[in-house]
Amino acid sequence: MTTPAMTATAAAAPDTVVPAVVGPATGSDGGTDDSACLRAAADFVRRHDTATLLPLLLPGLDGPQLHALTRHLAFAHAALLVFPPDPAALRADLAACGLSADTPPLPSSVVRDRLAARHRRDAAGLDVSILRPGVRAADGTRRAVEVFALTVPPGSDLWDVAEHERVHQHEAHLAFEVLRPEPLLLRGLCALLADQGAVPDGGGYNPHENGTVLYFTVPAASLAGYRRVELYAPGDHRDVLAGHLADGSVVRPAARPAGRSSTGTPTDQPAETLLRLLTGAWATQALAACARLRLPDAVPPGESVDRAALAHRTGTDPRALATLLRYLAMLGVVTAEGERVRLTEVGALLREDAPASMRPLALMYGGPFYRSFGALDHTVRTGETAFDHLFGENHFDHFARDPELADLFDRSMAASTRMFDPVPAHPALVAAAARPDGGTVVDVAGGNGELLARVLTAHPGLRGVLLERPHAVEAARRTMAEAGCADRCTYRVGDFADVPAEGDVYLLSRVLHDWEDDRCRAILRHCERAMPAHADLLIVERLLPADGSASLATAWDVHMMCNVGGRERRADHYADLLAAAGLDLLAHTPLPLDAALLHARRPARP
């Protein structure tokens, strides 16, 4: 995290390499997006296996539960729904992605019926087929990409269905085959998934291949990039399926077919879409108001509160509060049970005492950054940062002069620390921890020490050094003390030019996106000069997708331009910046919240 005192001197690098796509790619402009989705699914299948994928899907699994699931399930395929204009176009897309459809397609009654229900269409008019081109995984296992195909010729009345499905990816899922599909075992597996927060989400029996599928939506904390999971059981298990469908029979509002109102009458879909987009600012302020009024703090976790009592607790007008709560319910922040209100998992993140509370983000995005976004057109017109234009100084200096704002900014950065969860397991840190004398990790501009504390907690043999400005160092001392790592961390007050030498691993977390290319090169050069020949550099940033797929990085790119004067970048852009500093980008791996972990080090010498 870059802070006001962390400055560096800096000239621009070209933006040229394509990062790997993680999870289902999305988009809305036809075949190009289908190709990207196919390629992403194939790459995903090649990289993962059952044992590594299950903990990502269900982060709460303990050892015995994981062992039970890996004994009875085998990762079989990643699935997606595509909309080729004709069968030849689908075959061309498959070939372009290195996928071969060597068996004829089979009808898919399950996906056909789900599409018909979701879009209020006659199932007879939805000719959905299944293809399963094989993929050879990294471990040599033969798996597949399951391709559901609905042909949508140009001008077809199914185009709106295709557009909606491409955006929302309802049918994208990961499938596990049940190795011994006995009814008692199937029920036990469903119960185990439910215990981990997975919610039944439909299923069916396909008579064309004599197989039963059970769908689940995995918890929001899932790290895999896919939200739906399929258990595939060969054979007819409609007795188990009936119980599964009953468990998932909570009424959910059906997706409205594009081009029609809730009553089925024609409507102006583009105008409705634009209106929903235009009211996004209202959602931001509703969430910020919810946080400022401390509504979530007045609702105990897992309990419901009477609306009148909530108004009394928060000192709010009962009628106005009811209106806000109705909107918050539409946003998925609360649920209404008559006159009582309960927080959802989303709403609970706005409690001040929630682990990795996102309340500071709501206050920041609904406060100073909200105001500066009102001058986004100024940035686009002039290239000047809107925050600087509005407040008369850059946001680092502005926050540094206001201790309350500086503290809010530091806490808002900590609100997204769930992206750090997989970082301590990186091989570079594992190797450093295995050094006979104990390794040293240097966190450059490490903020309040949240990432370094996680690394030191995971590896008791490691020592840490944190470089930051004075007030952030004090916050980091508190973080380290709370984590029980205070005796293994030292602190340096300084600038990027003061990067300590003799570390084994160097961390740069959400630093480079604050700066333009010239300063990034200077920061990286400071790191390179301090790094011993064997040292590794780990960088946490969001990567811009090169294929136009949806990503938080695309939104953050606008945010950085408007408020900080920095930018998000593609993987190849970071590779160029690192090369200019004498470092090689070796790999980048996905992290939660659309972040990535980039691994760099000095080039190998002959």
Side-chain angles (χ1 to χ4, degrees):
M1 176 177 68
T2 305
T3 56
M6 308 297 292
T7 57
T9 57
D15 210 325
T16 50
V17 196
V18 179
V21 179
V22 178
T26 59
S28 59
D29 64 341
T32 301
D33 296 308
D34 288 347
S35 298
C37 287
L38 287 165
R39 189 173 294 107
D43 288 345
F44 192 97
V45 170
R46 290 187 184 101
R47 291 198 307 269
H48 292 88
D49 60 26
T50 309
T52 59
L53 189 50
L54 283 170
L56 295 176
L57 286 165
L58 303 168
L61 282 176
D62 60 24
Q65 292 169 328
L66 178 58
H67 179 65
L69 286 178
T70 52
R71 277 176 43 228
H72 296 296
L73 299 178
F75 177 38
H77 63 253
L80 70 162
L81 174 60
V82 298
F83 304 90
D86 52 58
L90 175 59
R91 288 193 295 273
D93 272 348
L94 290 170
C97 298
L99 299 172
S100 173
D102 51 7
T103 56
L106 292 172
S108 171
S109 56
V110 175
V111 172
R112 178 201 64 194
D113 293 345
R114 284 171 58 86
L115 284 172
R118 194 153 54 238
H119 296 276
R120 299 176 187 171
R121 297 275 183 154
D122 181 359
L126 300 173
D127 185 14
V128 182
S129 59
I130 309 176
L131 289 164
R132 293 193 180 91
V135 172
R136 183 72 66 182
D139 61 2
T141 306
R142 185 77 172 173
R143 301 197 185 100
V145 175
E146 184 171 76
V147 183
F148 302 111
L150 174 62
T151 301
V152 181
S156 167
D157 67 347
L158 296 175
W159 183 255
D160 287 343
V161 174
E163 186 176 33
H164 174 91
E165 293 294 325
R166 281 196 179 104
V167 169
H168 295 283
Q169 295 283 325
H170 293 296
E171 300 306 326
H173 66 262
L174 301 176
F176 295 83
E177 183 171 353
V178 182
L179 299 178
R180 289 188 301 107
E182 302 165 357
L184 186 60
L185 175 63
L186 274 176
R187 290 190 175 94
L189 291 172
C190 290
L192 200 161
L193 290 174
D195 287 344
Q196 293 299 315
V199 178
D201 187 22
Y205 170 69
N206 190 341
H208 302 287
E209 56 183 31
N210 188 30
T212 304
V213 295
L214 309 171
Y215 289 122
F216 295 84
T217 300
V218 296
S222 172
L223 309 176
Y226 286 79
R227 292 303 312 281
R228 295 181 69 239
V229 168
E230 170 195 303
L231 295 190
Y232 175 77
D236 185 347
H237 301 281
R238 277 179 276 191
D239 52 345
V240 178
L241 176 64
H244 174 77
L245 296 176
D247 289 342
S249 62
V250 177
V251 176
R252 296 179 179 89
R256 184 182 306 171
R260 301 219 165 248
S261 70
S262 58
T263 60
T265 56
T267 187
D268 191 334
Q269 180 67 18
E272 181 175 332
T273 299
L274 183 57
L275 272 179
R276 293 183 184 279
L277 294 172
L278 288 171
T279 58
W282 303 353
T284 301
Q285 282 303 328
L287 294 169
C290 178
R292 291 189 201 104
L293 295 168
R294 297 187 176 275
L295 300 181
D297 297 298
V299 181
E303 299 181 20
S304 62
V305 174
D306 181 77
R307 283 194 318 198
L310 183 59
H312 178 73
R313 290 181 189 179
T314 56
T316 54
D317 177 78
R319 181 176 176 182
L321 178 61
T323 300
L324 175 60
L325 289 172
R326 188 161 50 244
Y327 187 41
L328 292 173
M330 188 181 83
L331 296 176
V333 176
V334 301
T335 58
E337 304 164 353
E339 292 297 311
R340 301 187 70 80
V341 176
R342 184 188 300 269
L343 291 175
T344 65
E345 289 183 358
V346 173
L349 291 173
L350 292 173
R351 288 181 57 89
E352 189 165 35
D353 62 358
S357 168
M358 299 183 79
R359 181 175 184 270
L361 274 180
L363 298 176
M364 186 63 72
Y365 291 165
F369 289 152
Y370 188 87
R371 291 180 59 194
S372 54
F373 255 107
L376 176 60
D377 58 328
H378 175 83
T379 294
V380 175
R381 187 166 47 248
T382 67
E384 180 185 357
T385 304
F387 193 101
D388 299 11
H389 170 70
L390 187 67
F391 292 97
E393 58 186 339
N394 72 65
H395 99 279
F396 293 125
D397 292 339
H398 185 76
F399 290 171
R401 291 192 300 99
D402 185 330
E404 190 172 325
L405 264 181
D407 177 63
L408 178 62
F409 176 73
D410 288 343
R411 288 188 291 118
S412 71
M413 291 293 289
S416 297
T417 54
R418 54 180 50 81
M419 71 172 60
F420 297 155
D421 288 345
V423 173
H426 191 278
L429 290 165
V430 174
R435 293 176 67 86
D437 56 346
T440 299
V441 179
V442 178
D443 196 352
V444 180
N448 72 346
E450 177 69 29
L451 175 56
L452 186 56
R454 289 178 183 232
V455 170
L456 297 185
T457 299
H459 301 290
L462 286 177
R463 299 179 301 277
V465 180
L466 186 136
L467 174 67
E468 255 296 0
R469 57 195 167 145
H471 95 265
V473 162
E474 291 310 309
R477 289 183 191 275
R478 293 192 294 271
T479 300
M480 292 297 169
E482 291 169 3
C485 304
D487 60 338
R488 291 189 286 129
C489 188
T490 58
Y491 307 90
R492 301 283 183 87
V493 174
D495 203 339
F496 291 119
D498 304 310
V499 176
E502 303 308 319
D504 298 295
V505 180
Y506 287 74
L507 303 177
L508 273 177
S509 175
R510 298 178 295 176
V511 171
L512 299 178
H513 74 163
D514 287 334
W515 307 102
E516 281 296 344
D517 288 352
D518 53 355
R519 288 198 172 188
C520 286
R521 289 191 192 89
I523 293 168
L524 292 170
R525 288 190 189 104
H526 288 309
C527 292
E528 189 274 339
R529 281 194 289 268
M531 292 167 59
H534 72 277
D536 295 275
L537 173 63
L538 299 181
I539 300 170
V540 177
E541 294 288 358
R542 288 189 169 94
L543 295 180
L544 285 173
D547 62 355
S549 57
S551 169
L552 286 173
T554 305
W556 253 261
D557 197 27
V558 178
H559 167 71
M560 301 308 293
M561 175 183 71
C562 182
N563 287 292
V564 184
R567 60 187 302 187
E568 306 296 348
R569 297 170 172 88
R570 297 202 306 256
D572 60 311
H573 196 155
Y574 280 115
D576 289 341
L577 296 175
L578 286 160
L583 297 167
D584 279 350
L585 176 60
L586 303 182
H588 55 90
T589 54
L591 296 175
L593 303 181
D594 272 4
L597 184 62
L598 292 82
H599 179 201
R601 65 187 316 172
R602 284 199 178 92
R605 303 298 182 191

